[in-house]
Amino acid sequence: MALLTDLVNLNLSETTEKIIAEYIWIGGSGMDIRSKARTLPGPVSDPSKLPTWNYDGSSTGQAPGDDSEVILYPQAIFKDPFRRGNNILVMCDCYTPAGEPIPTNKRHNAAKIFSHPDVVAEVPWYGIEQEYTLLQKDVKWPLGWPVGGFPGPQGPYYCSAGADKAFGRDIVDAHYKACLYAGINISGINGEVMPGQWEFQVGPAVGISAGDELWVARYILERITEIAGVVLSFDPKPIQGDWNGAGAHTNYSTKSMRNDGGYEVIKSAIEKLGKRHKEHIAAYGEGNERRLTGRHETADINTFLWGVANRGASIRVGRETEKNGKGYFEDRRPASNMDPYVVTSMIAETTIIGKP
């Protein structure tokens, strides 16, 4: 095993200029993250300089067997925290051989929205709070929970320390550092209200980069939990009953909101979001109705309301934003399994372009 570890950690730059590029894409379910690696002749820092590639879409639920080729277009490059050196992770999106985005390619439409002149001028910032649950591999029960049983009620676990309260911290810290190494703008981590549940935050990130960074952060977490022999769940309500669900609260601001007088712009944006509540809910993640019940720090899925410092609202405005008259707001509706390309672009579309 020591030799195996030595080989895995070989420094390629000592013997060759060649690098390994891990191409990452989103599979047919919209949540399965796929990847495969290829050798390139030397270091690359510009995704437009990377070759396109292809894969068997019939094996990912994205193409029929008699016309299975799907083309990968490289879109963003990150440093590879697993292979290190000059090796890279490459976030891709997916197209037909004719160059049309396949139905599960949500990045393509998001990029169109983020390239709209009105959106570009507003420089939209996002900070996404990604909650997730760590599960014991063979029983699919939360880490730290007695098999077939339950821990003590919620209360002691949020932002906790101690072997009887915080479960999986080595995975969380490994992920934190790996994301920083990769060049992801991860801004923090914390233990969540339900034991075995954690959160990391990505941002502030501008426009389409918020989606790229969150997807690659998810990929890195999948790889680390694979190494640890733990199952990663983005289910918005992994355990029924009196336990918190898992969300992906999305913090958002535009240039106008961050400038003097921005609070009025924020209130106008929230009003626009309220008018499209049903459309947003439909796009904010599968199974969200199990989470948005009006309990456990959520608003009911059929109700739109906002408030200052109110964690039971659809939209929360911070006390500091209210006091300063400018800043940002938090959309608390997205589920943990939401697609960040869809959520971030839809918020921009509703609040800036003003789609009716």
Side-chain angles (χ1 to χ4, degrees):
M1 290 303 292
L3 177 58
L4 182 62
T5 301
D6 288 344
L7 291 171
V8 167
N9 293 326
L10 274 176
N11 183 358
L12 297 181
S13 62
E14 292 177 355
T15 57
T16 180
E17 289 191 0
K18 293 179 180 178
I19 69 158
I20 301 171
E22 189 81 26
Y23 278 42
I24 303 166
W25 71 96
I26 301 156
S29 74
M31 272 306 291
D32 54 318
I33 309 174
R34 311 284 181 133
S35 75
K36 61 177 183 171
R38 66 183 298 167
T39 305
L40 298 175
V44 183
S45 58
D46 181 352
S48 68
K49 300 286 194 269
L50 288 167
T52 58
W53 204 7
N54 66 76
Y55 67 92
D56 170 18
S58 70
S59 295
T60 62
Q62 293 171 295
D66 59 355
D67 187 15
S68 65
E69 198 166 282
V70 179
I71 313 301
L72 292 168
Y73 285 32
Q75 298 292 356
I77 292 175
F78 300 86
K79 293 174 68 177
D80 186 338
F82 303 103
R83 297 188 177 106
R84 286 170 276 190
N86 291 319
N87 304 300
I88 54 176
L89 304 177
V90 183
M91 189 66 209
C92 305
D93 61 352
C94 305
Y95 296 80
T96 67
E100 294 295 318
I102 66 172
T104 52
N105 179 353
K106 306 304 182 185
R107 190 187 191 281
H108 180 77
N109 185 63
K112 287 201 292 187
I113 291 170
F114 284 121
S115 64
H116 189 288
D118 293 350
V119 177
V120 171
E122 282 290 352
V123 196
W125 289 4
Y126 297 91
I128 302 173
E129 306 171 28
Q130 177 68 71
E131 294 178 339
Y132 60 92
T133 309
L134 299 174
L135 304 177
Q136 301 169 56
K137 184 179 177 183
D138 296 325
V139 293
K140 302 292 178 68
W141 198 238
L143 204 64
W145 289 37
V147 175
F150 295 87
Q154 294 183 152
Y157 309 108
Y158 173 70
C159 296
S160 65
D164 59 342
K165 294 181 284 294
F167 311 114
R169 189 185 299 276
D170 51 348
I171 293 169
V172 176
D173 275 350
H175 177 249
Y176 196 174
K177 290 183 177 180
C179 284
L180 286 170
Y181 179 93
I184 293 166
N185 193 24
I186 185 170
S187 48
I189 55 99
N190 61 268
E192 268 304 330
V193 177
M194 189 183 88
Q197 190 182 87
W198 295 81
E199 172 184 303
F200 67 90
Q201 303 95 31
V202 167
V206 178
I208 197 75
S209 65
D212 290 336
E213 292 189 24
L214 190 74
W215 272 116
V216 175
R218 284 173 170 176
Y219 171 79
I220 291 171
L221 186 54
E222 287 276 18
R223 289 281 303 274
I224 290 171
T225 52
E226 172 192 325
I227 294 165
V230 170
V231 173
L232 172 62
S233 172
F234 290 112
D235 190 295
K237 186 72 174 179
I239 304 295
Q240 295 302 308
D242 196 15
W243 305 97
N244 274 34
H249 302 155
T250 301
N251 298 275
Y252 170 70
S253 71
T254 62
K255 189 175 181 180
S256 298
M257 294 175 193
R258 296 187 293 269
N259 290 339
D260 290 342
Y263 195 42
E264 292 304 313
V265 181
I266 287 172
K267 289 193 283 188
S268 173
I270 293 171
E271 184 180 351
K272 292 175 183 176
L273 288 169
K275 290 176 180 176
R276 293 191 73 203
H277 177 62
K278 286 185 178 179
E279 294 96 317
H280 278 257
I281 286 294
Y284 274 16
E286 294 291 326
N288 212 8
E289 72 283 350
R290 292 182 283 116
R291 168 180 161 261
L292 297 181
T293 61
R295 300 181 63 221
H296 305 111
E297 302 180 55
T298 70
D300 180 82
I301 195 167
N302 297 311
T303 304
F304 182 87
L305 60 97
W306 74 278
V308 177
N310 183 358
R311 283 182 160 76
S314 313
I315 306 289
R316 181 184 67 87
V317 175
R319 289 280 181 211
E320 191 173 357
T321 294
E322 180 188 43
K323 178 183 174 184
N324 294 338
K326 58 184 177 182
Y328 71 96
F329 64 82
E330 174 192 46
D331 191 338
R332 297 179 60 81
R333 297 172 295 172
S336 50
N337 60 3
M338 63 80 154
D339 188 325
Y341 293 134
V342 173
V343 169
T344 57
S345 61
M346 195 174 192
I347 292 172
E349 181 183 55
T350 298
T351 61
I352 300 173
I353 302 173
K355 184 175 178 179

